[in-house]
Amino acid sequence: MTGQDFSAPAPDRPAPGFGPYAPGPEHSGFSAEQIDTSRPHPARMYDYYLGGRDNYEVDRAAAERVIEVHPQVRLSARANRAFLRRAVRELTAGGIRQILDVGTGIPTSPNTHEVARETAPDTRVVYVDNDPIVATHAGARLLDTDRTGFALADLRDPGAILDHPTVRDLIDFSQPVALLLVAVLHFISDDEDPAALVATLADALPAGSHLVLSHATDEPYEAYEGGRVDQTARAGVVDVYKSATAPLNLRTKAGIEPLFGPFTLLDPGVVRVPLWRPDGPVPGPQELNHTIFYAGVGRKG
Ligand SMILES: C[S@@+](CC[C@H](N)C(=O)[O-])C[C@H]1O[C@@H](n2cnc3c(N)ncnc32)[C@H](O)[C@@H]1O
């Protein structure tokens, strides 16, 4: 767990709504009172897995039900964040200076722009999420410079993302962009055609752009001898998310690879999150079997 206190904006950070791209009412069309606390939200459940405090009783109860049937979910969430950080570092080191982070989640330090800035302080980042609570917290924690922005928009309407004024202001579509779809595509059902949504976003990006993707799976880790799908845990997890605002669509590696569409997979391909270009020791097969995210990075030629 991060162990950070997310209950209030850090004292050295500006108040919510600071900056030219703050998600004020004109961007989001909602007020804090309109935030739905009657159903679990994936963003707030994920915040709970990571040890954050931007969640409500309904989210904590649902997250605890997931932890009960799949105790390693917190480990998976942390490994997923670590993958995001490694991928962003690699891409900024390789020259990327613009990032579209779709499915941002509730801010968790270090956030994408903070990681990018370690290598390239001039990197522009637009965060996109369809959950109003993410917008609420983005103001305080993500938008402390004129190089970051937030768009309240839905991945299921990629045209609205591409046309969003904040996206248009901050992203130059003639220059390479890193598109982050980290732990979000499993909230898109087959009927909603995730590959087509990615393709629409990819079409708008020039050669040299990259896709950073991670995705939940119920596939056993192939090198783990005892690897098997625990059907009870699987059904339990999927069942909890059925009551959430976005149900979960677990996919196999073979189901995830085609989502890269025009992006050519970079080494090592689609692997369990800790195995994507690790910068330290990697977990053993049993832990990898319990790490329920696949990850990969692709490049548009
Ligand atoms: C599990 S969190 C991942 C956060 C972050 N990307 C990470 O990996 O640490 C998933 C995020 O995707 C957002 N999300 C789910 N469905 C979405 C959609 N259709 N459009 C935009 N965001 C979505 C949720 O609100 C949540 O904030």
Side-chain angles (χ1 to χ4, degrees), residues 43 46 80-81 84 101 103-106 129-131 134 153-156 182-184 187-188:
Y46 185 74
N80 179 61
R81 289 296 303 177
L84 183 153
D101 183 351
T104 304
I106 289 168
D129 205 287
N130 70 346
D131 192 331
V134 178
D154 199 301
L155 177 55
R156 290 167 293 192
V182 181
V184 62
F187 295 115
I188 306 292

PDB file of all heavy atoms in Angstrom, residues 43 46 80-81 84 101 103-106 129-131 134 153-156 182-184 187-188, ligand 1:
ATOM      1  N   ALA A  43     -13.188   3.294  -9.743  1.00  0.00           N
ATOM      2  CA  ALA A  43     -12.083   4.212  -9.418  1.00  0.00           C
ATOM      3  C   ALA A  43     -11.874   4.260  -7.911  1.00  0.00           C
ATOM      4  O   ALA A  43     -10.741   4.273  -7.420  1.00  0.00           O
ATOM      5  CB  ALA A  43     -12.368   5.610  -9.963  1.00  0.00           C
ATOM      6  N   TYR A  46     -10.525   0.889  -6.552  1.00  0.00           N
ATOM      7  CA  TYR A  46      -9.091   0.793  -6.872  1.00  0.00           C
ATOM      8  C   TYR A  46      -8.286   1.670  -5.923  1.00  0.00           C
ATOM      9  O   TYR A  46      -7.214   1.283  -5.450  1.00  0.00           O
ATOM     10  CB  TYR A  46      -8.916   1.233  -8.326  1.00  0.00           C
ATOM     11  CG  TYR A  46      -7.535   1.103  -8.904  1.00  0.00           C
ATOM     12  CD1 TYR A  46      -6.998  -0.140  -9.244  1.00  0.00           C
ATOM     13  CD2 TYR A  46      -6.766   2.235  -9.160  1.00  0.00           C
ATOM     14  CE1 TYR A  46      -5.732  -0.242  -9.807  1.00  0.00           C
ATOM     15  CE2 TYR A  46      -5.507   2.139  -9.722  1.00  0.00           C
ATOM     16  CZ  TYR A  46      -5.004   0.895 -10.045  1.00  0.00           C
ATOM     17  OH  TYR A  46      -3.747   0.806 -10.606  1.00  0.00           O
ATOM     18  N   ASN A  80       0.521  -2.947 -11.063  1.00  0.00           N
ATOM     19  CA  ASN A  80       0.008  -2.234 -12.231  1.00  0.00           C
ATOM     20  C   ASN A  80       0.492  -0.781 -12.247  1.00  0.00           C
ATOM     21  O   ASN A  80       0.914  -0.249 -13.267  1.00  0.00           O
ATOM     22  CB  ASN A  80      -1.522  -2.299 -12.216  1.00  0.00           C
ATOM     23  CG  ASN A  80      -2.137  -1.560 -13.382  1.00  0.00           C
ATOM     24  OD1 ASN A  80      -1.894  -1.901 -14.534  1.00  0.00           O
ATOM     25  ND2 ASN A  80      -2.917  -0.531 -13.095  1.00  0.00           N
ATOM     26  N   ARG A  81       0.458  -0.133 -11.082  1.00  0.00           N
ATOM     27  CA  ARG A  81       0.975   1.260 -10.987  1.00  0.00           C
ATOM     28  C   ARG A  81       2.461   1.296 -11.314  1.00  0.00           C
ATOM     29  O   ARG A  81       2.948   2.224 -11.955  1.00  0.00           O
ATOM     30  CB  ARG A  81       0.778   1.831  -9.575  1.00  0.00           C
ATOM     31  CG  ARG A  81      -0.610   2.165  -9.149  1.00  0.00           C
ATOM     32  CD  ARG A  81      -1.284   3.249  -9.908  1.00  0.00           C
ATOM     33  NE  ARG A  81      -0.614   4.527  -9.951  1.00  0.00           N
ATOM     34  CZ  ARG A  81      -1.085   5.570 -10.648  1.00  0.00           C
ATOM     35  NH1 ARG A  81      -2.227   5.470 -11.333  1.00  0.00           N
ATOM     36  NH2 ARG A  81      -0.445   6.707 -10.681  1.00  0.00           N
ATOM     37  N   LEU A  84       2.937   1.237 -14.989  1.00  0.00           N
ATOM     38  CA  LEU A  84       2.649   2.563 -15.564  1.00  0.00           C
ATOM     39  C   LEU A  84       3.886   3.466 -15.439  1.00  0.00           C
ATOM     40  O   LEU A  84       4.292   4.133 -16.392  1.00  0.00           O
ATOM     41  CB  LEU A  84       1.432   3.164 -14.861  1.00  0.00           C
ATOM     42  CG  LEU A  84       0.896   4.511 -15.347  1.00  0.00           C
ATOM     43  CD1 LEU A  84      -0.592   4.639 -15.061  1.00  0.00           C
ATOM     44  CD2 LEU A  84       1.617   5.695 -14.733  1.00  0.00           C
ATOM     45  N   ASP A 101      -3.816  10.218 -20.913  1.00  0.00           N
ATOM     46  CA  ASP A 101      -3.962   9.159 -19.908  1.00  0.00           C
ATOM     47  C   ASP A 101      -5.458   8.918 -19.679  1.00  0.00           C
ATOM     48  O   ASP A 101      -6.099   9.615 -18.894  1.00  0.00           O
ATOM     49  CB  ASP A 101      -3.254   9.606 -18.626  1.00  0.00           C
ATOM     50  CG  ASP A 101      -3.281   8.544 -17.528  1.00  0.00           C
ATOM     51  OD1 ASP A 101      -3.971   7.532 -17.682  1.00  0.00           O
ATOM     52  OD2 ASP A 101      -2.608   8.764 -16.498  1.00  0.00           O
ATOM     53  N   GLY A 103      -8.669   6.920 -18.429  1.00  0.00           N
ATOM     54  CA  GLY A 103      -8.937   6.017 -17.307  1.00  0.00           C
ATOM     55  C   GLY A 103      -7.912   6.306 -16.217  1.00  0.00           C
ATOM     56  O   GLY A 103      -7.245   5.407 -15.691  1.00  0.00           O
ATOM     57  N   THR A 104      -7.803   7.586 -15.897  1.00  0.00           N
ATOM     58  CA  THR A 104      -6.784   8.112 -14.985  1.00  0.00           C
ATOM     59  C   THR A 104      -6.822   7.464 -13.612  1.00  0.00           C
ATOM     60  O   THR A 104      -5.787   7.146 -13.030  1.00  0.00           O
ATOM     61  CB  THR A 104      -7.049   9.625 -14.791  1.00  0.00           C
ATOM     62  OG1 THR A 104      -7.064  10.238 -16.075  1.00  0.00           O
ATOM     63  CG2 THR A 104      -6.056  10.272 -13.888  1.00  0.00           C
ATOM     64  N   GLY A 105      -8.030   7.313 -13.081  1.00  0.00           N
ATOM     65  CA  GLY A 105      -8.174   6.869 -11.692  1.00  0.00           C
ATOM     66  C   GLY A 105      -8.019   8.046 -10.748  1.00  0.00           C
ATOM     67  O   GLY A 105      -7.581   9.140 -11.137  1.00  0.00           O
ATOM     68  N   ILE A 106      -8.347   7.812  -9.506  1.00  0.00           N
ATOM     69  CA  ILE A 106      -8.164   8.830  -8.469  1.00  0.00           C
ATOM     70  C   ILE A 106      -6.651   9.044  -8.306  1.00  0.00           C
ATOM     71  O   ILE A 106      -5.897   8.073  -8.277  1.00  0.00           O
ATOM     72  CB  ILE A 106      -8.834   8.364  -7.160  1.00  0.00           C
ATOM     73  CG1 ILE A 106     -10.361   8.426  -7.350  1.00  0.00           C
ATOM     74  CG2 ILE A 106      -8.394   9.218  -5.978  1.00  0.00           C
ATOM     75  CD1 ILE A 106     -11.156   7.749  -6.270  1.00  0.00           C
ATOM     76  N   ASP A 129     -11.121  10.809 -17.669  1.00  0.00           N
ATOM     77  CA  ASP A 129     -11.838   9.780 -16.913  1.00  0.00           C
ATOM     78  C   ASP A 129     -13.324  10.113 -17.005  1.00  0.00           C
ATOM     79  O   ASP A 129     -13.698  11.274 -17.184  1.00  0.00           O
ATOM     80  CB  ASP A 129     -11.387   9.744 -15.446  1.00  0.00           C
ATOM     81  CG  ASP A 129     -11.625   8.379 -14.791  1.00  0.00           C
ATOM     82  OD1 ASP A 129     -12.795   8.046 -14.506  1.00  0.00           O
ATOM     83  OD2 ASP A 129     -10.626   7.635 -14.581  1.00  0.00           O
ATOM     84  N   ASN A 130     -14.160   9.088 -16.877  1.00  0.00           N
ATOM     85  CA  ASN A 130     -15.603   9.359 -16.952  1.00  0.00           C
ATOM     86  C   ASN A 130     -16.239   9.431 -15.563  1.00  0.00           C
ATOM     87  O   ASN A 130     -17.455   9.533 -15.453  1.00  0.00           O
ATOM     88  CB  ASN A 130     -16.317   8.298 -17.812  1.00  0.00           C
ATOM     89  CG  ASN A 130     -16.366   6.930 -17.150  1.00  0.00           C
ATOM     90  OD1 ASN A 130     -15.659   6.686 -16.177  1.00  0.00           O
ATOM     91  ND2 ASN A 130     -17.183   6.039 -17.676  1.00  0.00           N
ATOM     92  N   ASP A 131     -15.413   9.357 -14.520  1.00  0.00           N
ATOM     93  CA  ASP A 131     -15.967   9.371 -13.162  1.00  0.00           C
ATOM     94  C   ASP A 131     -15.813  10.765 -12.554  1.00  0.00           C
ATOM     95  O   ASP A 131     -14.686  11.254 -12.390  1.00  0.00           O
ATOM     96  CB  ASP A 131     -15.240   8.338 -12.301  1.00  0.00           C
ATOM     97  CG  ASP A 131     -15.951   8.098 -10.972  1.00  0.00           C
ATOM     98  OD1 ASP A 131     -16.611   9.051 -10.488  1.00  0.00           O
ATOM     99  OD2 ASP A 131     -15.856   6.993 -10.435  1.00  0.00           O
ATOM    100  N   VAL A 134     -13.129  11.494  -9.952  1.00  0.00           N
ATOM    101  CA  VAL A 134     -11.750  11.667 -10.431  1.00  0.00           C
ATOM    102  C   VAL A 134     -11.552  13.128 -10.827  1.00  0.00           C
ATOM    103  O   VAL A 134     -10.530  13.745 -10.510  1.00  0.00           O
ATOM    104  CB  VAL A 134     -11.458  10.714 -11.611  1.00  0.00           C
ATOM    105  CG1 VAL A 134     -10.049  10.940 -12.137  1.00  0.00           C
ATOM    106  CG2 VAL A 134     -11.623   9.257 -11.172  1.00  0.00           C
ATOM    107  N   ALA A 153     -14.607  12.661 -19.748  1.00  0.00           N
ATOM    108  CA  ALA A 153     -15.096  12.090 -21.009  1.00  0.00           C
ATOM    109  C   ALA A 153     -15.032  10.574 -20.906  1.00  0.00           C
ATOM    110  O   ALA A 153     -14.366  10.019 -20.027  1.00  0.00           O
ATOM    111  CB  ALA A 153     -14.234  12.574 -22.175  1.00  0.00           C
ATOM    112  N   ASP A 154     -15.737   9.930 -21.847  1.00  0.00           N
ATOM    113  CA  ASP A 154     -15.898   8.481 -21.793  1.00  0.00           C
ATOM    114  C   ASP A 154     -15.158   7.820 -22.949  1.00  0.00           C
ATOM    115  O   ASP A 154     -15.315   8.240 -24.097  1.00  0.00           O
ATOM    116  CB  ASP A 154     -17.402   8.149 -21.843  1.00  0.00           C
ATOM    117  CG  ASP A 154     -17.676   6.758 -21.337  1.00  0.00           C
ATOM    118  OD1 ASP A 154     -17.125   5.788 -21.912  1.00  0.00           O
ATOM    119  OD2 ASP A 154     -18.434   6.629 -20.355  1.00  0.00           O
ATOM    120  N   LEU A 155     -14.409   6.796 -22.607  1.00  0.00           N
ATOM    121  CA  LEU A 155     -13.665   6.049 -23.621  1.00  0.00           C
ATOM    122  C   LEU A 155     -14.602   5.463 -24.681  1.00  0.00           C
ATOM    123  O   LEU A 155     -14.197   5.240 -25.825  1.00  0.00           O
ATOM    124  CB  LEU A 155     -12.881   4.936 -22.907  1.00  0.00           C
ATOM    125  CG  LEU A 155     -12.058   3.958 -23.725  1.00  0.00           C
ATOM    126  CD1 LEU A 155     -11.067   4.677 -24.634  1.00  0.00           C
ATOM    127  CD2 LEU A 155     -11.308   3.008 -22.798  1.00  0.00           C
ATOM    128  N   ARG A 156     -15.853   5.230 -24.293  1.00  0.00           N
ATOM    129  CA  ARG A 156     -16.799   4.659 -25.257  1.00  0.00           C
ATOM    130  C   ARG A 156     -17.240   5.690 -26.293  1.00  0.00           C
ATOM    131  O   ARG A 156     -17.955   5.360 -27.227  1.00  0.00           O
ATOM    132  CB  ARG A 156     -18.011   4.078 -24.512  1.00  0.00           C
ATOM    133  CG  ARG A 156     -17.627   2.831 -23.727  1.00  0.00           C
ATOM    134  CD  ARG A 156     -18.691   2.426 -22.761  1.00  0.00           C
ATOM    135  NE  ARG A 156     -18.837   3.398 -21.694  1.00  0.00           N
ATOM    136  CZ  ARG A 156     -19.532   3.220 -20.584  1.00  0.00           C
ATOM    137  NH1 ARG A 156     -20.140   2.086 -20.395  1.00  0.00           N
ATOM    138  NH2 ARG A 156     -19.615   4.161 -19.668  1.00  0.00           N
ATOM    139  N   VAL A 182      -4.474   2.253 -19.197  1.00  0.00           N
ATOM    140  CA  VAL A 182      -3.938   1.393 -18.146  1.00  0.00           C
ATOM    141  C   VAL A 182      -5.072   0.984 -17.203  1.00  0.00           C
ATOM    142  O   VAL A 182      -5.703   1.847 -16.576  1.00  0.00           O
ATOM    143  CB  VAL A 182      -2.788   2.117 -17.388  1.00  0.00           C
ATOM    144  CG1 VAL A 182      -2.217   1.211 -16.296  1.00  0.00           C
ATOM    145  CG2 VAL A 182      -1.687   2.518 -18.355  1.00  0.00           C
ATOM    146  N   ALA A 183      -5.339  -0.307 -17.196  1.00  0.00           N
ATOM    147  CA  ALA A 183      -6.388  -0.884 -16.338  1.00  0.00           C
ATOM    148  C   ALA A 183      -7.744  -0.225 -16.577  1.00  0.00           C
ATOM    149  O   ALA A 183      -8.467   0.089 -15.634  1.00  0.00           O
ATOM    150  CB  ALA A 183      -5.995  -0.798 -14.862  1.00  0.00           C
ATOM    151  N   VAL A 184      -8.074  -0.005 -17.829  1.00  0.00           N
ATOM    152  CA  VAL A 184      -9.387   0.588 -18.122  1.00  0.00           C
ATOM    153  C   VAL A 184     -10.174  -0.222 -19.156  1.00  0.00           C
ATOM    154  O   VAL A 184     -11.401  -0.283 -19.068  1.00  0.00           O
ATOM    155  CB  VAL A 184      -9.255   2.074 -18.564  1.00  0.00           C
ATOM    156  CG1 VAL A 184      -8.450   2.244 -19.826  1.00  0.00           C
ATOM    157  CG2 VAL A 184     -10.623   2.724 -18.724  1.00  0.00           C
ATOM    158  N   PHE A 187     -13.117  -2.504 -18.483  1.00  0.00           N
ATOM    159  CA  PHE A 187     -14.444  -1.953 -18.178  1.00  0.00           C
ATOM    160  C   PHE A 187     -15.267  -1.728 -19.456  1.00  0.00           C
ATOM    161  O   PHE A 187     -16.342  -1.154 -19.411  1.00  0.00           O
ATOM    162  CB  PHE A 187     -14.322  -0.657 -17.369  1.00  0.00           C
ATOM    163  CG  PHE A 187     -13.724  -0.888 -16.006  1.00  0.00           C
ATOM    164  CD1 PHE A 187     -12.504  -0.346 -15.652  1.00  0.00           C
ATOM    165  CD2 PHE A 187     -14.365  -1.705 -15.082  1.00  0.00           C
ATOM    166  CE1 PHE A 187     -11.931  -0.590 -14.404  1.00  0.00           C
ATOM    167  CE2 PHE A 187     -13.808  -1.963 -13.839  1.00  0.00           C
ATOM    168  CZ  PHE A 187     -12.596  -1.399 -13.497  1.00  0.00           C
ATOM    169  N   ILE A 188     -14.727  -2.179 -20.579  1.00  0.00           N
ATOM    170  CA  ILE A 188     -15.420  -2.076 -21.864  1.00  0.00           C
ATOM    171  C   ILE A 188     -15.810  -3.491 -22.290  1.00  0.00           C
ATOM    172  O   ILE A 188     -14.947  -4.384 -22.379  1.00  0.00           O
ATOM    173  CB  ILE A 188     -14.494  -1.446 -22.945  1.00  0.00           C
ATOM    174  CG1 ILE A 188     -13.916  -0.095 -22.461  1.00  0.00           C
ATOM    175  CG2 ILE A 188     -15.226  -1.309 -24.269  1.00  0.00           C
ATOM    176  CD1 ILE A 188     -14.898   1.030 -22.317  1.00  0.00           C
TER     177      ILE A 188
HETATM  178  C1  LIG B   1      -8.698   0.637 -12.183  1.00  0.00           C
HETATM  179  S1  LIG B   1      -8.707   2.374 -12.444  1.00  0.00           S
HETATM  180  C2  LIG B   1      -7.117   2.575 -13.262  1.00  0.00           C
HETATM  181  C3  LIG B   1      -6.443   3.871 -12.904  1.00  0.00           C
HETATM  182  C4  LIG B   1      -5.062   4.063 -13.521  1.00  0.00           C
HETATM  183  N1  LIG B   1      -5.136   4.074 -14.962  1.00  0.00           N
HETATM  184  C5  LIG B   1      -4.118   2.985 -13.061  1.00  0.00           C
HETATM  185  O1  LIG B   1      -3.956   2.004 -13.786  1.00  0.00           O
HETATM  186  O2  LIG B   1      -3.572   3.081 -11.969  1.00  0.00           O
HETATM  187  C6  LIG B   1      -9.819   2.505 -13.846  1.00  0.00           C
HETATM  188  C7  LIG B   1     -10.260   3.913 -14.166  1.00  0.00           C
HETATM  189  O3  LIG B   1     -10.932   3.896 -15.425  1.00  0.00           O
HETATM  190  C8  LIG B   1     -12.063   4.716 -15.352  1.00  0.00           C
HETATM  191  N2  LIG B   1     -13.025   4.280 -16.373  1.00  0.00           N
HETATM  192  C9  LIG B   1     -13.775   3.148 -16.385  1.00  0.00           C
HETATM  193  N3  LIG B   1     -14.527   3.106 -17.499  1.00  0.00           N
HETATM  194  C10 LIG B   1     -14.242   4.233 -18.202  1.00  0.00           C
HETATM  195  C11 LIG B   1     -14.713   4.770 -19.425  1.00  0.00           C
HETATM  196  N4  LIG B   1     -15.633   4.116 -20.149  1.00  0.00           N
HETATM  197  N5  LIG B   1     -14.228   5.961 -19.857  1.00  0.00           N
HETATM  198  C12 LIG B   1     -13.288   6.624 -19.121  1.00  0.00           C
HETATM  199  N6  LIG B   1     -12.811   6.168 -17.948  1.00  0.00           N
HETATM  200  C13 LIG B   1     -13.276   4.986 -17.487  1.00  0.00           C
HETATM  201  C14 LIG B   1     -12.574   4.537 -13.936  1.00  0.00           C
HETATM  202  O4  LIG B   1     -13.387   5.631 -13.538  1.00  0.00           O
HETATM  203  C15 LIG B   1     -11.279   4.463 -13.159  1.00  0.00           C
HETATM  204  O5  LIG B   1     -10.868   5.739 -12.750  1.00  0.00           O
END
